[in-house]
């Protein structure tokens, strides 16, 4: 039997998972666990770059773990773990840092964005964020990394660091990780409800999986729109396109076609469209929400999942690290 390819991905425990995280990432994780050797983790070290309080960090880790499970990631099929439980990752990160250059790190879009957003906290962890992410990926020799479009550049950096290491030590230690989406389409970007850009935890425009139906209705009804099309088949401005994009993600194709037809014939009433969109989102999220609530009550189960996951992850990580240490010259002559 041929070995299944390895898949790895992670999410920072910085808040509730939202529709962007679900459709851009977690839904693909669930689908992949059937056919691949999967590692899904919670990137708690990465989240330290924004200085969470210890309480926030603890709650965030518990929440994402419960949400992973509620979305259908199965600890019998995939290895689920918390990044800081696997110290081999940080050891590899230190080694990779020696071949990561200031110029290329400073040019990374996510670094530039964060430096702009938090000018008083441009820390070294932020600068070397892509190096830690590369360590996460290559420590398990991952072949595929399912992530949303916003992580494309970080993944490109991981590929670069893996290639550089192989070249420098003239040995194919690491496979070069590929981005992956389940249906082979372009990586998905879920828009926010505030008219422009992507849905994000820190953008304040997100609908969470854990959110109650009342609050979902309220958020969707408040979504930015305009006064409506004035010409037949008019091109959609961004806020309107965003509503349609969300609808394409959660609703039946006939529903999308119906509202497209109304838009193209200048008969659309955004209030009706939003009502439909809210109900379709709720139909998607409410079973997940019920499961999150149940799992959050079960600390024994959560602790068991984290412990067995950490054991499996460390077994895999320590094999790679031993090989890396040999290759770089930590193998003793005495
Ligand atoms: P956030 O941007 O809300 O802080 P993260 O950066 O922790 O979320 O992202 C976790 C995962 O979810 C990543 O794989 C990321 O690509 C994906 N993701 C986040 N937001 C979106 C979005 N709006 N559309 C698609 N995927 C997304
Ligand atoms: N940087 C990712 C994000 O913000 C989280 C992450 C950390 C990650 N390490 C990873 C994703 C490794 C995929 C693989 O979403």
């Amino acid at each position: 039997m041929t070995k299944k390819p390895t898949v790895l991905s992670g999410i920072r425990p910085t808040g509730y998972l939202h529709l962007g995280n679900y459709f851009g990432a977690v839904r693909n994780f669930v689908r992949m666990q059937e056919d691949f050797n999967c590692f899904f983790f919670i990137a708690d070290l990465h989240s330290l770059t924004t200085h969470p309080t210890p309480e926030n960090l603890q709650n965030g880790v518990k929440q994402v773990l419960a949400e992973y499970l509620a979305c259908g990631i199965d600890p019998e099929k995939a290895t689920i773990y918390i990044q800081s439980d696997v110290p081999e990752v940080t050891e590899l990160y230190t080694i990779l840092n020696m071949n990561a250059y200031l110029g290329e790190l400073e040019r990374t879009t996510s670094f530039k964005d964060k430096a702009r957003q938090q000018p008083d906290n441009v820390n070294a962890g932020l600068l070397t964020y892509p190096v830690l992410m590369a360590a996460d990926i290559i420590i398990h020799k991952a072949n595929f990394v399912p992530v949303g479009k916003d992580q494309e550049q970080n993944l490109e950096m991981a590929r670069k660091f893996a290639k550089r290491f192989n070249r420098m030590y003239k040995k194919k230690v690491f496979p070069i990780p590929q981005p992956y989406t389940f249906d082979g389409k372009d990586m998905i970007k879920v828009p926010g409800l505030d008219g422009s850009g992507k849905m994000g935890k820190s953008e304040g425009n997100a609908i969470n999986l854990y959110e109650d139906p009342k609050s979902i209705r309220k958020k969707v009804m408040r979504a930015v729109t305009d006064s409506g099309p004035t010409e037949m088949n008019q091109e959609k401005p961004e806020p309107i396109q965003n509503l349609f994009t969300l609808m394409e993600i959660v609703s039946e194709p006939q529903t999308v076609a119906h509202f497209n037809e109304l838009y193209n014939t200048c008969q659309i009433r955004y209030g009706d469209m939003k009502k439909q969109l809210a109900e379709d989102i709720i139909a998607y999220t409410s079973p997940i929400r019920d499961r999150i609530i149940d799992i959050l009550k079960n600390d024994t189960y959560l602790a068991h999942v984290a412990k067995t996951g950490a054991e499996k992850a460390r077994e895999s990580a320590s094999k790679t690290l031993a090989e890396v240490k040999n290759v770089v010259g930590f193998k003793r002559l005495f």
Side-chain angles (χ1 to χ4, degrees):
M1 210 178 84
T2 50
K3 214 170 135 260
K4 287 181 182 175
T6 296
V7 162
L8 173 132
S9 196
I11 294 185
R12 288 172 304 134
T14 46
Y16 300 113
L17 296 189
H18 52 71
L19 293 179
N21 298 137
Y22 183 73
F23 291 105
V26 183
R27 184 176 60 166
N28 291 337
F29 300 176
V30 175
R31 291 166 168 178
M32 294 178 100
Q33 64 187 350
E34 308 296 335
D35 303 320
F36 298 94
N37 172 33
C38 286
F39 292 87
F40 299 122
F41 73 102
I42 300 172
D44 56 349
L45 288 164
H46 274 112
S47 70
L48 289 182
T49 53
T50 49
H51 299 174
T53 64
E55 293 75 24
N56 279 346
L57 186 57
Q58 284 176 313
N59 287 325
V61 168
K62 182 176 174 185
Q63 185 73 27
V64 176
L65 184 57
E67 293 187 327
Y68 269 176
L69 297 164
C71 288
I73 301 178
D74 179 349
E76 302 286 326
K77 293 180 184 158
T79 301
I80 307 175
Y81 65 98
I82 300 160
Q83 189 183 29
S84 62
D85 281 343
V86 184
E88 289 79 6
V89 172
T90 35
E91 223 174 313
L92 179 59
Y93 164 63
T94 305
I95 295 171
L96 292 178
N97 262 329
M98 310 307 167
N99 300 309
Y101 294 97
L102 186 59
E104 60 188 345
L105 295 171
E106 278 176 337
R107 278 195 301 275
T108 314
T109 317
S110 55
F111 174 72
K112 288 195 285 194
D113 287 349
K114 276 275 168 351
R116 216 175 305 118
Q117 285 161 15
Q118 47 183 69
D120 299 330
N121 180 22
V122 186
N123 59 65
L126 217 47
L127 184 71
T128 57
Y129 187 109
V131 189
L132 182 55
M133 181 157 158
D136 290 327
I137 297 170
I138 67 181
I139 194 89
H140 300 298
K141 302 196 173 188
N143 305 99
F144 298 109
V145 183
V147 280
K149 207 170 176 44
D150 59 325
Q151 294 299 312
E152 235 173 344
Q153 193 182 28
N154 282 337
L155 189 56
E156 198 44 55
M157 302 283 281
R159 291 162 56 81
K160 200 192 254 184
F161 297 139
K163 281 184 203 157
R164 194 175 284 165
F165 186 96
N166 289 347
R167 201 179 331 113
M168 176 152 175
Y169 294 103
K170 299 185 182 59
K171 201 157 182 271
K172 237 184 141 275
V173 178
F174 299 115
I176 310 306
Q178 312 273 345
Y180 191 89
T181 38
F182 191 74
D183 40 19
K185 286 200 209 116
D186 271 345
M187 291 195 269
I188 194 168
K189 179 175 130 186
V190 180
L193 290 169
D194 49 355
S196 68
K198 69 154 199 158
M199 183 175 287
K201 285 177 206 134
S202 42
E203 279 78 358
N205 62 3
I207 293 181
N208 302 322
L209 298 175
Y210 193 51
E211 196 140 347
D212 66 77
K214 216 171 118 197
S215 159
I216 294 180
R217 287 193 190 99
K218 212 158 116 192
K219 282 190 182 171
V220 175
M221 293 317 285
R222 275 203 312 244
V224 175
T225 48
D226 58 16
S227 51
T230 49
E231 282 167 46
M232 306 275 272
N233 302 315
Q234 193 180 316
E235 201 184 315
K236 297 186 184 90
E238 196 181 349
I240 306 304
Q241 181 54 50
N242 286 354
L243 280 185
F244 274 93
T245 303
L246 275 171
M247 197 167 234
E248 276 160 24
I249 293 169
V250 294
S251 307
E252 296 294 331
Q254 308 88 279
T255 311
V256 185
H258 170 69
F259 286 101
N260 253 321
E261 175 65 24
L262 290 176
Y263 182 88
N264 287 332
T265 51
C266 300
Q267 299 178 73
I268 193 154
R269 295 209 322 234
Y270 291 129
D272 294 346
M273 180 178 178
K274 286 177 180 178
K275 268 194 201 127
Q276 179 71 44
L277 179 60
E279 294 318 309
D280 291 344
I281 291 174
I282 292 165
Y284 227 107
T285 53
S286 58
I288 301 178
R289 174 170 191 263
D290 293 345
R291 286 196 294 273
I292 301 173
I293 292 172
D294 267 354
I295 296 169
L296 280 174
K297 289 184 206 142
N298 197 342
D299 280 352
T300 317
Y301 176 57
L302 289 168
H304 173 76
V305 170
K307 182 165 176 280
T308 48
E311 282 163 8
K312 282 198 274 176
R314 289 198 71 180
E315 194 186 316
S316 152
S318 56
K319 271 192 211 143
T320 309
L321 188 63
E323 193 184 341
V324 167
K325 284 176 144 182
N326 261 336
V327 169
V328 300
F330 290 154
K331 189 173 164 186
R332 298 280 136 77
L333 291 174
F334 50 88

